[in-house]
Amino acid sequence: MKVQIFGAGAIGCLFGYFIQKAGFDVVFVARGKQLEALQKELRITGLIDDSISIDARRYACKADVTFVTVKSYDTQTAAEQLAGKTEVVCTVQNGIGNEDILTEKVDNVVGGVTSYAANLVDYGVVCYAGEGITYLGDWKGEGASVVAEILKKAGMNVEVVEDIERKKWEKAVINATINPLTALLRVENGKIVEIEDVWNVAESIAKECEEVMKAMGYKLNAVELVREVATKTARNRSSMLQDIERGRRTEIEAITGEIVRKAKELGVETPVNELMLRLVRGLECSILSS
């Protein structure tokens, strides 16, 4: 069975590493300096210290299963490149809406949410920062059981769930609370809880998200969920913070932007989330234009 990692960044490389070590034929799709580095080797640090040779390429190839791990704003490009080239696609991306984009081009789409933590230390070097669990669910067609079997054989924690959409929105709530604040303040996740003034803002964001979830028919204690995740990942630097530090575009539109959009659709007020959206947009503009 051939497995493809489309978007060999931090989390993509971590998944691909585990899957290849389990004996699967794995192709890593990357670009730029990351591709150049991966064509030499992939190094994993942190909880594991290992280096392996991998098959790194610029473009997608035919595969049985493809994990899509690109940034949300590149999902449309991924869908177009993967059309007719893979039997099953599994996305473990941040944000809302990626699955729907992929279903336009691929028959079997699996939604995924992961709490595995990985940071890109340098080109070709990934820090395995925390063990987690990956939740999977069929979004279109059937494929979740196939993907789950691959991850189980790779020694990863995985669970197939009936309502993967709920898991996606729960992750979005966590990201919408932690990521913008860490990016704006340039701090690790733990500071969200440790600094009282920041936590007060985090609570306001989470409570608004909880109201959106409630209007969607989901019961969720968003404040406690965010506190738990921020505490467990205290030393982690959020993906949005890493994007800002590297002068790159963030996924704010697919996270906070989608929460604000859904809130307006349901008639829920989210002024603090709207403020976070505007501030991160402004921060992006100032960085990308400099």
Short mmCIF file of all heavy atoms in Angstrom, two decimals, residues 255-282:
data_model
loop_
_atom_site.label_atom_id
_atom_site.label_comp_id
_atom_site.label_asym_id
_atom_site.label_seq_id
_atom_site.Cartn_x
_atom_site.Cartn_y
_atom_site.Cartn_z
N ILE A 255 -10.17 29.42 10.72
CA ILE A 255 -10.44 29.13 12.14
C ILE A 255 -11.40 30.18 12.69
O ILE A 255 -12.61 29.98 12.70
CB ILE A 255 -9.11 29.09 12.94
CG1 ILE A 255 -8.19 28.01 12.38
CG2 ILE A 255 -9.39 28.84 14.43
CD1 ILE A 255 -6.79 28.01 12.96
N THR A 256 -10.89 31.32 13.10
CA THR A 256 -11.75 32.38 13.65
C THR A 256 -12.71 32.90 12.60
O THR A 256 -13.88 33.19 12.90
CB THR A 256 -10.88 33.52 14.20
OG1 THR A 256 -9.97 33.01 15.18
CG2 THR A 256 -11.75 34.60 14.84
N GLY A 257 -12.24 33.02 11.37
CA GLY A 257 -13.12 33.50 10.30
C GLY A 257 -14.34 32.63 10.12
O GLY A 257 -15.46 33.13 9.91
N GLU A 258 -14.17 31.31 10.20
CA GLU A 258 -15.29 30.38 10.05
C GLU A 258 -16.23 30.43 11.25
O GLU A 258 -17.45 30.29 11.11
CB GLU A 258 -14.78 28.96 9.83
CG GLU A 258 -14.24 28.70 8.44
CD GLU A 258 -15.31 28.86 7.37
OE1 GLU A 258 -16.44 28.36 7.57
OE2 GLU A 258 -15.02 29.47 6.33
N ILE A 259 -15.68 30.64 12.44
CA ILE A 259 -16.52 30.75 13.63
C ILE A 259 -17.37 32.02 13.55
O ILE A 259 -18.57 32.00 13.85
CB ILE A 259 -15.65 30.74 14.91
CG1 ILE A 259 -15.14 29.32 15.15
CG2 ILE A 259 -16.44 31.25 16.12
CD1 ILE A 259 -14.17 29.17 16.29
N VAL A 260 -16.76 33.12 13.13
CA VAL A 260 -17.51 34.38 12.97
C VAL A 260 -18.59 34.22 11.90
O VAL A 260 -19.73 34.69 12.06
CB VAL A 260 -16.55 35.53 12.63
CG1 VAL A 260 -17.32 36.78 12.21
CG2 VAL A 260 -15.65 35.84 13.83
N ARG A 261 -18.25 33.56 10.80
CA ARG A 261 -19.22 33.34 9.73
C ARG A 261 -20.40 32.52 10.21
O ARG A 261 -21.56 32.86 9.96
CB ARG A 261 -18.54 32.63 8.55
CG ARG A 261 -19.46 32.38 7.36
CD ARG A 261 -18.86 31.40 6.38
NE ARG A 261 -18.65 30.08 6.97
CZ ARG A 261 -19.63 29.19 7.18
NH1 ARG A 261 -20.89 29.49 6.88
NH2 ARG A 261 -19.36 28.01 7.71
N LYS A 262 -20.11 31.42 10.91
CA LYS A 262 -21.17 30.57 11.43
C LYS A 262 -22.02 31.32 12.45
O LYS A 262 -23.25 31.16 12.50
CB LYS A 262 -20.57 29.30 12.05
CG LYS A 262 -21.58 28.35 12.68
CD LYS A 262 -22.59 27.82 11.67
CE LYS A 262 -21.98 26.79 10.75
NZ LYS A 262 -23.01 26.12 9.91
N ALA A 263 -21.37 32.14 13.27
CA ALA A 263 -22.10 32.92 14.28
C ALA A 263 -23.11 33.86 13.63
O ALA A 263 -24.26 33.98 14.07
CB ALA A 263 -21.11 33.71 15.14
N LYS A 264 -22.69 34.52 12.56
CA LYS A 264 -23.60 35.44 11.86
C LYS A 264 -24.76 34.67 11.23
O LYS A 264 -25.90 35.13 11.24
CB LYS A 264 -22.83 36.22 10.80
CG LYS A 264 -21.87 37.24 11.38
CD LYS A 264 -21.12 38.00 10.30
CE LYS A 264 -20.21 39.05 10.92
NZ LYS A 264 -19.42 39.79 9.89
N GLU A 265 -24.47 33.50 10.70
CA GLU A 265 -25.50 32.65 10.10
C GLU A 265 -26.55 32.25 11.14
O GLU A 265 -27.75 32.18 10.83
CB GLU A 265 -24.84 31.40 9.52
CG GLU A 265 -25.78 30.38 8.95
CD GLU A 265 -25.07 29.10 8.55
OE1 GLU A 265 -24.01 29.18 7.87
OE2 GLU A 265 -25.55 28.01 8.92
N LEU A 266 -26.10 32.03 12.38
CA LEU A 266 -26.99 31.56 13.45
C LEU A 266 -27.50 32.68 14.34
O LEU A 266 -28.26 32.44 15.28
CB LEU A 266 -26.24 30.52 14.30
CG LEU A 266 -25.80 29.26 13.56
CD1 LEU A 266 -24.92 28.39 14.47
CD2 LEU A 266 -27.01 28.46 13.09
N GLY A 267 -27.08 33.91 14.08
CA GLY A 267 -27.54 35.05 14.87
C GLY A 267 -26.91 35.16 16.24
O GLY A 267 -27.52 35.67 17.18
N VAL A 268 -25.66 34.71 16.36
CA VAL A 268 -24.93 34.77 17.63
C VAL A 268 -23.92 35.91 17.57
O VAL A 268 -23.19 36.05 16.57
CB VAL A 268 -24.20 33.44 17.91
CG1 VAL A 268 -23.40 33.53 19.20
CG2 VAL A 268 -25.19 32.28 17.97
N GLU A 269 -23.84 36.71 18.64
CA GLU A 269 -22.90 37.82 18.69
C GLU A 269 -21.51 37.32 19.11
O GLU A 269 -21.38 36.61 20.11
CB GLU A 269 -23.38 38.88 19.69
CG GLU A 269 -24.70 39.54 19.30
CD GLU A 269 -24.57 40.40 18.05
OE1 GLU A 269 -23.50 41.04 17.88
OE2 GLU A 269 -25.51 40.42 17.25
N THR A 270 -20.48 37.70 18.36
CA THR A 270 -19.11 37.29 18.69
C THR A 270 -18.14 38.47 18.53
O THR A 270 -17.19 38.40 17.74
CB THR A 270 -18.65 36.12 17.79
OG1 THR A 270 -18.83 36.52 16.41
CG2 THR A 270 -19.43 34.86 18.06
N PRO A 271 -18.32 39.54 19.29
CA PRO A 271 -17.47 40.73 19.13
C PRO A 271 -15.99 40.50 19.42
O PRO A 271 -15.13 41.09 18.75
CB PRO A 271 -18.08 41.74 20.11
CG PRO A 271 -18.81 40.90 21.12
CD PRO A 271 -19.33 39.74 20.34
N VAL A 272 -15.67 39.66 20.40
CA VAL A 272 -14.26 39.45 20.74
C VAL A 272 -13.57 38.62 19.65
O VAL A 272 -12.44 38.89 19.26
CB VAL A 272 -14.10 38.76 22.12
CG1 VAL A 272 -12.62 38.68 22.50
CG2 VAL A 272 -14.87 39.53 23.19
N ASN A 273 -14.27 37.61 19.14
CA ASN A 273 -13.72 36.83 18.04
C ASN A 273 -13.52 37.70 16.79
O ASN A 273 -12.52 37.56 16.08
CB ASN A 273 -14.63 35.64 17.70
CG ASN A 273 -14.38 34.45 18.60
OD1 ASN A 273 -13.48 33.65 18.34
ND2 ASN A 273 -15.17 34.32 19.65
N GLU A 274 -14.47 38.60 16.54
CA GLU A 274 -14.34 39.51 15.41
C GLU A 274 -13.13 40.41 15.58
O GLU A 274 -12.42 40.72 14.61
CB GLU A 274 -15.63 40.32 15.23
CG GLU A 274 -16.81 39.49 14.74
CD GLU A 274 -18.07 40.31 14.56
OE1 GLU A 274 -17.95 41.50 14.21
OE2 GLU A 274 -19.17 39.77 14.78
N LEU A 275 -12.88 40.85 16.82
CA LEU A 275 -11.71 41.67 17.10
C LEU A 275 -10.42 40.88 16.84
O LEU A 275 -9.48 41.40 16.23
CB LEU A 275 -11.74 42.15 18.55
CG LEU A 275 -10.52 42.96 19.03
CD1 LEU A 275 -10.36 44.23 18.19
CD2 LEU A 275 -10.65 43.30 20.51
N MET A 276 -10.38 39.62 17.30
CA MET A 276 -9.20 38.78 17.07
C MET A 276 -8.96 38.61 15.57
O MET A 276 -7.83 38.66 15.10
CB MET A 276 -9.40 37.40 17.71
CG MET A 276 -9.42 37.38 19.23
SD MET A 276 -7.87 37.91 19.98
CE MET A 276 -8.35 39.54 20.56
N LEU A 277 -10.04 38.42 14.82
CA LEU A 277 -9.94 38.23 13.38
C LEU A 277 -9.31 39.46 12.72
O LEU A 277 -8.39 39.35 11.91
CB LEU A 277 -11.33 37.97 12.80
CG LEU A 277 -11.44 37.75 11.29
CD1 LEU A 277 -10.59 36.57 10.83
CD2 LEU A 277 -12.91 37.55 10.89
N ARG A 278 -9.78 40.63 13.11
CA ARG A 278 -9.26 41.87 12.52
C ARG A 278 -7.82 42.12 12.93
O ARG A 278 -7.00 42.58 12.12
CB ARG A 278 -10.14 43.05 12.93
CG ARG A 278 -11.54 43.02 12.31
CD ARG A 278 -12.27 44.33 12.53
NE ARG A 278 -13.57 44.32 11.87
CZ ARG A 278 -14.71 44.02 12.47
NH1 ARG A 278 -14.70 43.69 13.77
NH2 ARG A 278 -15.85 44.04 11.83
N LEU A 279 -7.49 41.84 14.19
CA LEU A 279 -6.13 42.08 14.67
C LEU A 279 -5.11 41.17 13.97
O LEU A 279 -4.02 41.62 13.59
CB LEU A 279 -6.05 41.88 16.19
CG LEU A 279 -6.70 42.96 17.05
CD1 LEU A 279 -6.68 42.54 18.52
CD2 LEU A 279 -5.98 44.30 16.87
N VAL A 280 -5.47 39.90 13.81
CA VAL A 280 -4.54 38.99 13.15
C VAL A 280 -4.43 39.32 11.66
O VAL A 280 -3.35 39.26 11.07
CB VAL A 280 -4.94 37.52 13.36
CG1 VAL A 280 -4.04 36.59 12.54
CG2 VAL A 280 -4.87 37.15 14.83
N ARG A 281 -5.54 39.72 11.06
CA ARG A 281 -5.48 40.17 9.67
C ARG A 281 -4.52 41.35 9.54
O ARG A 281 -3.71 41.43 8.62
CB ARG A 281 -6.87 40.59 9.19
CG ARG A 281 -7.79 39.47 8.79
CD ARG A 281 -9.16 40.02 8.48
NE ARG A 281 -10.09 39.02 8.00
CZ ARG A 281 -11.42 39.21 7.88
NH1 ARG A 281 -11.93 40.40 8.20
NH2 ARG A 281 -12.21 38.25 7.44
N GLY A 282 -4.63 42.29 10.49
CA GLY A 282 -3.76 43.45 10.48
C GLY A 282 -2.30 43.09 10.67
O GLY A 282 -1.42 43.63 10.02
#
